[in-house]
mmCIF file of all heavy atoms in Angstrom:
data_model
loop_
_atom_site.group_PDB
_atom_site.id
_atom_site.type_symbol
_atom_site.label_atom_id
_atom_site.label_comp_id
_atom_site.label_asym_id
_atom_site.label_seq_id
_atom_site.Cartn_x
_atom_site.Cartn_y
_atom_site.Cartn_z
ATOM 1 N N TYR A 52 -70.394 -2.422 -158.041
ATOM 2 C CA TYR A 52 -69.848 -1.185 -157.352
ATOM 3 C C TYR A 52 -70.033 -1.193 -155.877
ATOM 4 O O TYR A 52 -69.181 -0.782 -155.036
ATOM 5 C CB TYR A 52 -70.479 0.064 -157.990
ATOM 6 C CG TYR A 52 -71.697 0.339 -157.648
ATOM 7 C CD1 TYR A 52 -72.148 1.361 -156.626
ATOM 8 C CD2 TYR A 52 -72.889 -0.160 -158.358
ATOM 9 C CE1 TYR A 52 -73.392 1.704 -156.376
ATOM 10 C CE2 TYR A 52 -74.191 0.194 -158.090
ATOM 11 C CZ TYR A 52 -74.441 1.107 -157.143
ATOM 12 O OH TYR A 52 -75.719 1.428 -156.737
ATOM 13 N N LYS A 53 -71.255 -1.725 -155.432
ATOM 14 C CA LYS A 53 -71.543 -1.637 -153.889
ATOM 15 C C LYS A 53 -70.474 -2.438 -153.147
ATOM 16 O O LYS A 53 -70.333 -2.040 -151.941
ATOM 17 C CB LYS A 53 -72.981 -2.141 -153.709
ATOM 18 C CG LYS A 53 -73.994 -1.212 -154.035
ATOM 19 C CD LYS A 53 -75.374 -1.708 -153.624
ATOM 20 C CE LYS A 53 -76.435 -0.741 -154.196
ATOM 21 N NZ LYS A 53 -77.722 -1.410 -154.624
ATOM 22 N N ASN A 54 -69.898 -3.345 -153.559
ATOM 23 C CA ASN A 54 -68.889 -4.180 -152.814
ATOM 24 C C ASN A 54 -67.545 -3.559 -152.979
ATOM 25 O O ASN A 54 -66.527 -4.121 -152.421
ATOM 26 C CB ASN A 54 -68.819 -5.553 -153.408
ATOM 27 C CG ASN A 54 -70.200 -6.276 -153.287
ATOM 28 O OD1 ASN A 54 -70.747 -6.067 -152.148
ATOM 29 N ND2 ASN A 54 -70.705 -6.915 -154.226
ATOM 30 N N LEU A 55 -67.383 -2.524 -153.522
ATOM 31 C CA LEU A 55 -65.995 -1.918 -153.907
ATOM 32 C C LEU A 55 -65.843 -0.489 -153.412
ATOM 33 O O LEU A 55 -66.766 0.330 -153.573
ATOM 34 C CB LEU A 55 -65.782 -2.053 -155.390
ATOM 35 C CG LEU A 55 -65.688 -3.512 -155.945
ATOM 36 C CD1 LEU A 55 -65.628 -3.423 -157.424
ATOM 37 C CD2 LEU A 55 -64.518 -4.236 -155.434
ATOM 38 N N GLU A 56 -64.688 -0.265 -153.012
ATOM 39 C CA GLU A 56 -64.326 1.190 -152.721
ATOM 40 C C GLU A 56 -62.950 1.485 -153.315
ATOM 41 O O GLU A 56 -61.932 0.648 -153.184
ATOM 42 C CB GLU A 56 -64.196 1.378 -151.199
ATOM 43 C CG GLU A 56 -65.499 1.719 -150.516
ATOM 44 C CD GLU A 56 -65.492 2.015 -149.102
ATOM 45 O OE1 GLU A 56 -64.444 2.377 -148.537
ATOM 46 O OE2 GLU A 56 -66.517 1.962 -148.469
ATOM 47 N N ASN A 57 -62.966 2.733 -153.837
ATOM 48 C CA ASN A 57 -61.594 3.349 -154.257
ATOM 49 C C ASN A 57 -60.797 2.356 -155.192
ATOM 50 O O ASN A 57 -59.522 2.157 -155.065
ATOM 51 C CB ASN A 57 -60.723 3.502 -153.061
ATOM 52 C CG ASN A 57 -59.625 4.543 -153.227
ATOM 53 O OD1 ASN A 57 -59.732 5.335 -154.237
ATOM 54 N ND2 ASN A 57 -58.559 4.520 -152.479
ATOM 55 N N VAL A 58 -61.498 1.754 -156.181
ATOM 56 C CA VAL A 58 -60.780 0.926 -157.265
ATOM 57 C C VAL A 58 -60.428 1.993 -158.349
ATOM 58 O O VAL A 58 -61.207 2.702 -158.842
ATOM 59 C CB VAL A 58 -61.825 -0.031 -157.888
ATOM 60 C CG1 VAL A 58 -61.149 -0.680 -159.033
ATOM 61 C CG2 VAL A 58 -62.148 -1.069 -156.785
ATOM 62 N N GLU A 59 -58.998 2.003 -158.602
ATOM 63 C CA GLU A 59 -58.485 2.831 -159.554
ATOM 64 C C GLU A 59 -58.637 2.344 -160.948
ATOM 65 O O GLU A 59 -58.197 1.133 -161.107
ATOM 66 C CB GLU A 59 -57.102 3.231 -159.274
ATOM 67 C CG GLU A 59 -56.515 4.277 -160.213
ATOM 68 C CD GLU A 59 -54.934 4.462 -160.024
ATOM 69 O OE1 GLU A 59 -54.436 3.932 -159.136
ATOM 70 O OE2 GLU A 59 -54.360 5.141 -160.831
ATOM 71 N N ILE A 60 -59.285 2.916 -161.863
ATOM 72 C CA ILE A 60 -59.474 2.455 -163.234
ATOM 73 C C ILE A 60 -58.640 3.132 -164.236
ATOM 74 O O ILE A 60 -58.784 4.426 -164.295
ATOM 75 C CB ILE A 60 -60.985 2.469 -163.664
ATOM 76 C CG1 ILE A 60 -61.830 1.533 -162.839
ATOM 77 C CG2 ILE A 60 -61.153 2.242 -165.087
ATOM 78 C CD1 ILE A 60 -63.278 1.582 -163.123
ATOM 79 N N VAL A 61 -57.751 2.594 -164.813
ATOM 80 C CA VAL A 61 -56.695 3.146 -165.697
ATOM 81 C C VAL A 61 -56.901 2.679 -167.116
ATOM 82 O O VAL A 61 -56.874 1.468 -167.363
ATOM 83 C CB VAL A 61 -55.325 2.853 -165.189
ATOM 84 C CG1 VAL A 61 -54.277 3.357 -166.081
ATOM 85 C CG2 VAL A 61 -55.065 3.230 -163.754
ATOM 86 N N HIS A 62 -56.935 3.624 -167.993
ATOM 87 C CA HIS A 62 -56.860 3.199 -169.421
ATOM 88 C C HIS A 62 -56.725 4.336 -170.205
ATOM 89 O O HIS A 62 -56.606 5.547 -169.750
ATOM 90 C CB HIS A 62 -58.204 2.400 -169.829
ATOM 91 C CG HIS A 62 -59.459 3.195 -169.658
ATOM 92 N ND1 HIS A 62 -59.946 3.987 -170.650
ATOM 93 C CD2 HIS A 62 -60.381 3.176 -168.785
ATOM 94 C CE1 HIS A 62 -61.044 4.427 -170.100
ATOM 95 N NE2 HIS A 62 -61.361 4.003 -169.006
ATOM 96 N N MET A 63 -56.644 4.168 -171.690
ATOM 97 C CA MET A 63 -56.495 5.233 -172.571
ATOM 98 C C MET A 63 -57.777 5.643 -173.175
ATOM 99 O O MET A 63 -58.609 6.005 -172.427
ATOM 100 C CB MET A 63 -55.379 4.873 -173.649
ATOM 101 C CG MET A 63 -54.597 6.106 -174.008
ATOM 102 S SD MET A 63 -53.077 5.748 -174.681
ATOM 103 C CE MET A 63 -53.170 6.979 -175.996
ATOM 104 N N VAL A 64 -58.056 5.412 -174.414
ATOM 105 C CA VAL A 64 -59.198 5.941 -175.184
ATOM 106 C C VAL A 64 -60.410 5.227 -174.576
ATOM 107 O O VAL A 64 -60.653 3.972 -174.658
ATOM 108 C CB VAL A 64 -59.182 5.716 -176.635
ATOM 109 C CG1 VAL A 64 -60.357 6.207 -177.375
ATOM 110 C CG2 VAL A 64 -57.938 6.349 -177.250
ATOM 111 N N PRO A 65 -61.344 6.078 -173.981
ATOM 112 C CA PRO A 65 -62.597 5.364 -173.359
ATOM 113 C C PRO A 65 -63.768 5.141 -174.404
ATOM 114 O O PRO A 65 -63.904 6.147 -175.238
ATOM 115 C CB PRO A 65 -62.917 6.463 -172.290
ATOM 116 C CG PRO A 65 -62.541 7.715 -172.780
ATOM 117 C CD PRO A 65 -61.413 7.495 -173.686
ATOM 118 N N MET A 66 -64.477 4.113 -174.304
ATOM 119 C CA MET A 66 -65.561 3.923 -175.125
ATOM 120 C C MET A 66 -66.849 3.739 -174.257
ATOM 121 O O MET A 66 -66.760 3.708 -173.097
ATOM 122 C CB MET A 66 -65.341 2.648 -176.010
ATOM 123 C CG MET A 66 -64.150 2.681 -176.906
ATOM 124 S SD MET A 66 -64.149 4.084 -178.105
ATOM 125 C CE MET A 66 -65.397 3.366 -179.262
ATOM 126 N N GLY A 67 -67.877 3.631 -174.906
ATOM 127 C CA GLY A 67 -69.231 3.263 -174.206
ATOM 128 C C GLY A 67 -69.607 4.314 -173.177
ATOM 129 O O GLY A 67 -69.147 5.445 -173.332
ATOM 130 N N SER A 68 -70.402 3.994 -172.306
ATOM 131 C CA SER A 68 -71.025 5.020 -171.418
ATOM 132 C C SER A 68 -70.144 5.268 -170.201
ATOM 133 O O SER A 68 -70.374 6.278 -169.478
ATOM 134 C CB SER A 68 -72.417 4.444 -170.853
ATOM 135 O OG SER A 68 -72.256 3.197 -170.336
#
Side-chain angles (χ1 to χ4, degrees):
Y52 75 96
K53 283 190 186 142
N54 299 317
L55 296 169
E56 271 185 21
N57 203 24
V58 169
E59 184 186 353
I60 291 179
V61 177
H62 59 83
M63 211 162 139
V64 179
M66 301 298 288
S68 54

